[in-house]
């Protein structure tokens, strides 16, 4: 599977729209395009992901899609040790303090990570609706995060994070990455999961890590069975 270059048909599948719409959006400048030689359009995958995430456009990634090189597997992302329950706090800043107490990162860098995440949240809320939020940053080189770090935090009480749907947040996915490509890929995969009602319901019910991972794996196996041959 090519990671960087996509044709118009692949972009149509990724965005769940018709191919002729991809071409119309590309030629009108609405969709970022790399090249158009001989009527064959080429797109950069990362640019398409960034475009979709910035506009809240649904992405049809599919659980069974091959993971790009360098990304942790879904089993690693949702390993039991990444789940934390009953995190105290009446606000995002207070919950973040409690979250960072158990987040895997060098102790001397947690204050910097805290400041970066709080500053990021002041610029624009990371609450996505349905009680979910993804506080995330691409950390600077001064923070020692060699590979993507993700943890899931269930708050002791719902907190107001200014979500567009007005719902308080009950689950936070704290994501730290270094490379821009990894950052976009992981955000895209998380937002894909957030669009699955069963997944959201499990988070709301505080399901166990084992139950959540089993559902993700079962969904991936089902998707793999109906995937068309390469």
């Amino acid at each position: 599977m090519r990671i960087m270059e996509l044709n118009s048909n692949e972009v149509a599948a990724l965005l769940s729209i018709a191919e002729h719409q991809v071409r119309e959006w590309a030629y009108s400048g609405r969709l970022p395009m790399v090249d158009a030689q001989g009527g064959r359009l080429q797109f950069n995958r990362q640019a398409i992901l960034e475009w979709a995430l910035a506009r809240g456009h649904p992405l049809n990634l599919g659980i069974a899609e091959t993971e790009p090189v360098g990304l942790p597997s879904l089993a690693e992302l949702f390993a039991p040790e990444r789940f934390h329950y009953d995190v105290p706090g009446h606000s995002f800043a207070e919950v973040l303090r409690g979250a960072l107490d158990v987040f895997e990162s060098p102790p001397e860098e947690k204050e910097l990570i805290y400041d970066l995440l709080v500053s990021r949240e002041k610029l624009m809320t990371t609450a996505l609706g349905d009680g979910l939020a993804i506080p995330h940053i691409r950390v600077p080189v001064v923070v020692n995060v060699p590979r993507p770090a993700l943890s899931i935090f269930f708050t002791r009480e719902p907190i107001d994070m200014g979500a567009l749907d007005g719902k308080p947040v009950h689950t936070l996915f704290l994501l730290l990455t270094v490379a821009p490509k990894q950052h976009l890929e992981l955000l895209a995969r998380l937002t894909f999961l957030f669009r699955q009602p069963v997944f959201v319901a499990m988070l709301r019910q505080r399901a166990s890590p084992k139950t959540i991972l089993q559902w993700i794996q079962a969904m991936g196996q089902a998707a793999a069975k109906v995937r068309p041959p390469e």
Side-chain angles (χ1 to χ4, degrees):
M1 174 182 157
R2 297 190 305 275
I3 299 301
M4 291 302 297
E5 290 186 1
L6 301 176
N7 59 36
S8 56
N9 187 54
E10 290 168 327
V11 173
L14 184 62
L15 299 179
S16 296
I17 60 177
E19 185 177 2
H20 72 82
Q21 193 168 12
V22 171
R23 301 179 72 85
E24 290 174 4
W25 287 2
Y27 284 124
S28 67
R30 180 177 175 181
L31 201 62
M33 179 177 59
V34 175
D35 199 6
Q37 291 186 353
R40 299 182 62 181
L41 305 185
Q42 289 185 322
F43 302 83
N44 180 278
R45 177 184 173 89
Q46 303 304 325
I48 296 298
L49 289 178
E50 187 170 4
W51 179 91
L53 289 169
R55 290 161 179 77
H57 187 98
L59 284 162
N60 181 28
L61 290 165
I63 292 294
E65 182 180 351
T66 302
E67 296 287 354
V69 176
L71 282 184
S73 66
L74 285 173
E76 182 181 350
L77 284 176
F78 290 91
E81 63 270 16
R82 294 179 179 270
F83 287 77
H84 304 277
Y85 295 78
D86 199 34
V87 180
H90 303 291
S91 65
F92 171 72
E94 291 180 4
V95 168
L96 181 59
R97 282 289 187 194
L100 288 176
D101 283 343
V102 294
F103 190 72
E104 291 187 11
S105 65
E108 67 275 9
E109 295 178 350
K110 288 188 177 183
E111 194 64 30
L112 174 57
I113 293 174
Y114 174 85
D115 290 340
L116 290 170
L117 285 167
V118 169
S119 297
R120 165 68 178 80
E121 198 65 31
K122 288 179 179 178
L123 292 175
M124 181 180 295
T125 182
T126 55
L128 302 177
D130 283 329
L132 307 179
I134 313 180
H136 61 277
I137 52 171
R138 283 194 293 112
V139 297
V141 292
V142 293
V143 177
N144 183 26
V145 181
R147 52 197 320 266
L150 172 73
S151 286
I152 301 94
F153 299 94
F154 296 98
T155 61
R156 179 174 298 172
E157 61 184 81
I159 58 172
D160 181 12
M161 290 182 62
L164 290 178
D165 64 358
K167 295 181 180 179
V169 170
H170 55 72
T171 309
L172 290 86
F173 286 70
L174 177 54
L175 175 64
L176 304 183
T177 57
V178 177
K181 296 176 185 177
Q182 290 180 341
H183 191 74
L184 290 172
E185 292 283 357
L186 287 172
L187 281 178
R189 276 158 176 71
L190 288 175
T191 53
F192 172 81
L193 288 174
F194 292 168
R195 294 182 186 279
Q196 314 307 314
V198 175
F199 183 74
V200 175
M202 287 191 296
L203 296 176
R204 189 180 301 112
Q205 295 163 7
R206 304 291 202 265
S208 69
K210 180 180 179 180
T211 298
I212 293 173
L213 182 55
Q214 285 178 338
W215 176 84
I216 291 174
Q217 292 173 332
M219 188 178 179
Q221 291 170 359
K225 291 180 181 179
V226 300
R227 253 184 111 186
E230 296 291 341

